[in-house]
Amino acid sequence: MIEFPPLPNSTVFTNQVRDAEPVVTYVVPVFNQCQIIEETLSSLFSAATLYFDIIIVDDYSMDDSLPVIQHFLSNHPSKLLCSYTIIQNQSPVYETACDNQGFRVAR
């Protein structure tokens, strides 16, 4: 396995619930999306029938995106089917860099 250096200027939260490799990993870049992020996450949970990972990269959102994400993930009935990682950037890095951050931590 390739080891990557820590992500600069980012805070990482994770809930590794299983050691097994995920069947699929979703990388979700977020910037000020509190209005639609719950719908996005609901869609991922309804589409996934097997064990999966979600990597959410918050690109310095100034709205309530992060609390909405954390509330959804901690209260969803299927939360034991997935592991999630939330990367919270401390300054904007923009969409492509967010994608790359997610790919760096994917298993």
Side-chain angles (χ1 to χ4, degrees), residues 1-7 103-107:
M1 173 174 266
I2 300 171
E3 293 291 326
F4 291 101
L7 302 169
F103 298 147
R104 289 173 69 181
V105 298
R107 295 191 281 159

Side-chain angles (χ1 to χ4, degrees), residues 5-76:
L7 302 169
N9 299 316
S10 299
T11 305
V12 178
F13 307 93
T14 189
N15 83 320
Q16 192 81 24
V17 294
R18 292 176 43 172
D19 291 330
E21 290 293 317
V23 174
V24 66
T25 299
Y26 300 103
V27 176
V28 183
V30 175
F31 177 73
N32 292 339
Q33 298 295 320
C34 73
Q35 302 284 337
I36 63 168
I37 191 62
E38 192 168 344
E39 181 181 345
T40 301
L41 295 174
S42 291
S43 177
L44 292 179
F45 273 87
S46 66
T49 57
L50 300 172
Y51 176 66
F52 60 100
D53 278 356
I54 298 175
I55 301 169
I56 299 168
V57 185
D58 178 47
D59 194 24
Y60 197 61
S61 291
M62 303 305 284
D63 66 355
D64 287 332
S65 293
L66 190 60
V68 169
I69 291 165
Q70 290 172 325
H71 181 265
F72 179 90
L73 292 174
S74 65
N75 292 306
H76 196 277

Side-chain angles (χ1 to χ4, degrees), residues 79-100:
K79 66 184 176 187
L80 296 178
L81 295 176
C82 84
S83 288
Y84 64 83
T85 300
I86 301 171
I87 301 169
Q88 183 182 21
N89 290 318
Q90 304 303 315
S91 62
V93 297
Y94 308 105
E95 188 173 1
T96 302
C98 286
D99 291 339
N100 290 335

